[in-house]
Amino acid sequence: MESVSTTSHIADASLAASGGRRVNWAERFMPVLRQIRERFAAERPLEGLRVSACLHVTTETANLMRALKAGGAEVLLCASNPLSTQDDVAAWLVEELGIAVHAVRGEDNDTYYRHIQAALAHRPTITMDDGADLVGALHMIALDRLDDLAPPVREWIAGLDADARSDIVSSILGSTEETTTGIIRLRAMAADGVLQFPVMAVNDSLTKHLFDNRYGTGQSTLDGVIRATNILLAGSTVVVAGYGWCGRGVAFRARGAGAKVIVTEIDPVVALEATMDGFPVMPMEQAAPVGDLFLTLTGNTSVVREEHFRAMKDGAIVANSGHFDVEIDVARLAEVAEGPPVEVRPMVDEYRIDGRRIEILAQGRLINLAAAEGHPAAVMDMSFANQALAAEFLLAERDSLTNQVHRVPAEIDREIARLKLAAMEIGMDVLTPEQEHYLASWDLGT
Ligand code: ADE
């Protein structure tokens, strides 16, 4: 039964036991985060911190919440996507950890923003974002741009006096951001001189984007497509839009599964790299008639548009793995399609256009989190180790950090890699004194 209280809003508290078993399963693959949690429990470095996190509510996120709580933080979690919430995990966090959770799988837009409002009403000192929704709302409040807030948040803010409004923003020490998409937005805010507090770019850590974007998105995107459709990748033509770290991960894994992979790109250097990696590169217009499966991972809007749908083969499958549901122009497809879509399988909406069928997966939302479980725990281990240590760093360095987007310090990044290697029982070589001397010298080249 749906459970609504002032502190939490989740689908069904009775799912807690199954959620707990799955959270503990994920934890087996998160040795770095576990070590951080154990240190946090001993040292309590986050004592007094109020954290509002807007993240995908998954087994991996539950382990991050556990670590933050062990460190002494008072935590609230809300969903960063209406379709990615795992209701049993939400139940476990509320029932077993006593953490406030506002997330219901499949929630409508209004509920999504009520949950964001709850995260702001928690009066956080640190926010954690996956796509900058919390920071975005905080800035609309700070800049008095109430018209740009979603209606539930706007109505709530309108009912507060000026002091209460400014308290919400002034109590923030800083924020952390998980995604490439969020960082792009935040850098634009910093460049405009409007960023109100320091932000830690967790995404920019090497132990985050080189692993989670490439291996996590690479595997889980295909996992989502396969769970939704049960198609065979071998022998099919897969069009990957965008050859950033996520696109590269998907392209290599699709090729490994036997697909013919085509890449579309807008950056000449990156397009050249894809070419030299052995992928045909062409405009979407040219790829549209040959692809069986289209995957968008660009971070941009309207990548697959009406003219592309009209050129596609009968039965072409189109899915998005970029953060926002803007990469496939589903709204336009719905306008020009013959009749409403038919849900031919869960997560598969079939549209008809020019007499041909186009299959849109997960309504154009993040396929890996909507139809599968997102990145495997073994990569989220490093991403969330960065989140936990970035929160600790923000608190410790609050007086020296400027209102800019900051990278997690390189020593922290390297320490996470060291801990991960140690957990995997992989040893490395150590420089000999002679090698150290050689590297530090400029006159020993011969
Ligand atoms: N983003 C991508 N995969 C995720 C996961 N498993 N948990 C939380 N956030 C994610």
Side-chain angles (χ1 to χ4, degrees):
M1 220 188 53
E2 194 163 322
S3 150
V4 187
S5 74
T6 48
T7 52
S8 285
H9 180 205
I10 59 172
D12 186 350
S14 75
L15 301 174
S18 105
R21 285 190 292 272
R22 295 197 318 108
V23 172
N24 288 332
W25 171 264
E27 204 225 15
R28 289 195 207 174
F29 305 96
M30 306 184 86
V32 180
L33 191 60
R34 182 170 57 244
Q35 283 181 56
I36 292 170
R37 169 160 62 84
E38 285 162 3
R39 177 173 68 76
F40 276 10
E43 296 175 5
R44 306 277 291 173
L46 308 183
E47 200 76 68
L49 213 58
R50 296 175 66 80
V51 177
S52 285
C54 180
L55 300 171
H56 300 288
V57 181
T58 64
T59 53
E60 293 75 28
T61 300
N63 280 301
L64 173 61
M65 298 300 107
R66 210 186 212 178
L68 298 177
K69 187 174 169 172
E74 209 174 305
V75 186
L76 180 145
L77 173 65
C78 70
S80 63
N81 184 299
L83 287 187
S84 62
T85 297
Q86 298 171 5
D87 288 324
D88 58 343
V89 170
W92 181 79
L93 283 166
V94 172
E95 297 295 304
E96 283 299 314
L97 280 204
I99 283 179
V101 180
H102 293 256
V104 175
R105 189 176 181 88
E107 63 198 27
D108 61 20
N109 231 18
D110 192 63
T111 310
Y112 180 82
Y113 284 106
R114 281 189 197 290
H115 292 164
I116 298 270
Q117 178 214 313
L120 298 174
H122 182 60
R123 297 291 196 275
T125 38
I126 284 191
T127 63
M128 284 186 177
D129 258 317
D130 185 310
D133 276 352
L134 282 182
V135 166
L138 282 165
H139 279 76
M140 293 314 163
I141 297 167
L143 303 172
D144 213 23
R145 285 175 50 175
L146 300 196
D147 286 347
D148 291 320
L149 287 167
V153 186
R154 189 190 319 138
E155 280 157 31
W156 170 66
I157 288 292
L160 299 179
D161 63 30
D163 284 349
R165 283 184 203 182
S166 75
D167 269 3
I168 295 173
V169 181
S170 62
S171 61
I172 306 274
L173 301 178
S175 184
T176 66
E177 172 55 48
E178 174 79 6
T179 61
T180 315
T181 303
I183 300 290
I184 291 170
R185 263 207 217 173
L186 292 160
R187 288 234 154 82
M189 289 161 90
D192 275 356
V194 296
L195 199 61
Q196 304 286 310
F197 40 75
V199 178
M200 300 304 296
V202 165
N203 180 70
D204 289 1
S205 292
L206 301 180
T207 48
K208 197 279 183 184
H209 70 261
L210 291 182
F211 298 87
D212 148 336
N213 293 14
R214 188 167 26 158
Y215 305 111
T217 306
Q219 177 170 310
S220 62
T221 298
L222 297 183
D223 183 14
V225 170
I226 291 166
R227 289 197 206 192
T229 63
N230 199 25
I231 59 166
L232 179 67
L233 291 173
S236 68
T237 300
V238 176
V239 179
V240 175
Y243 200 66
W245 288 111
C246 293
R248 275 169 223 179
V250 171
F252 275 93
R253 267 137 210 85
R255 178 154 77 186
K260 287 167 263 172
V261 179
I262 294 171
V263 167
T264 71
E265 242 304 325
I266 47 90
D267 181 301
V269 177
V270 180
L272 196 55
E273 189 184 354
T275 304
M276 303 225 173
D277 283 342
F279 298 110
V281 177
M282 61 184 75
M284 183 59 82
E285 193 187 349
Q286 232 172 295
V290 286
D292 299 304
L293 168 64
F294 294 81
L295 298 169
T296 55
L297 305 102
T298 68
N300 212 332
T301 191
S302 305
V303 177
V304 180
R305 303 182 291 270
E306 179 181 349
E307 64 266 32
H308 306 133
F309 293 127
R310 289 198 186 280
M312 285 178 190
K313 292 191 222 176
D314 181 38
I317 298 171
V318 189
N320 166 51
S321 213
H323 182 80
F324 288 117
D325 58 348
V326 295
E327 305 209 10
I328 306 167
D329 195 351
V330 183
R332 181 65 185 155
L333 178 60
E335 275 170 23
V336 297
E338 295 139 22
V342 177
E343 192 187 69
V344 289
R345 282 169 66 98
M347 296 281 161
V348 186
D349 288 335
E350 183 169 285
Y351 293 79
R352 275 187 185 269
I353 180 169
D354 302 333
R356 288 190 297 271
R357 293 167 294 186
I358 305 286
E359 319 294 347
I360 301 287
L361 306 192
Q363 302 156 29
R365 292 186 189 273
L366 267 175
I367 185 67
N368 64 334
L369 279 141
E373 294 171 62
H375 304 339
V379 283
M380 292 313 292
D381 188 24
M382 291 190 282
S383 311
F384 283 166
N386 274 285
Q387 283 282 6
L389 297 182
E392 184 182 32
F393 179 79
L394 255 179
L395 184 60
E397 298 298 323
R398 60 179 177 271
D399 296 332
S400 60
L401 287 170
T402 53
N403 294 351
Q404 296 293 329
V405 178
H406 301 271
R407 286 188 69 152
V408 176
E411 311 88 78
I412 293 183
D413 209 355
R414 292 173 67 78
E415 182 58 16
I416 290 170
R418 248 182 244 116
L419 291 172
K420 188 75 175 174
L421 283 168
M424 295 166 89
E425 299 183 347
I426 293 171
M428 293 190 305
D429 280 331
V430 179
L431 289 175
T432 63
E434 184 200 2
Q435 287 171 328
E436 291 216 25
H437 178 64
Y438 181 84
L439 290 178
S441 309
W442 55 267
D443 55 353
L444 297 177
T446 51

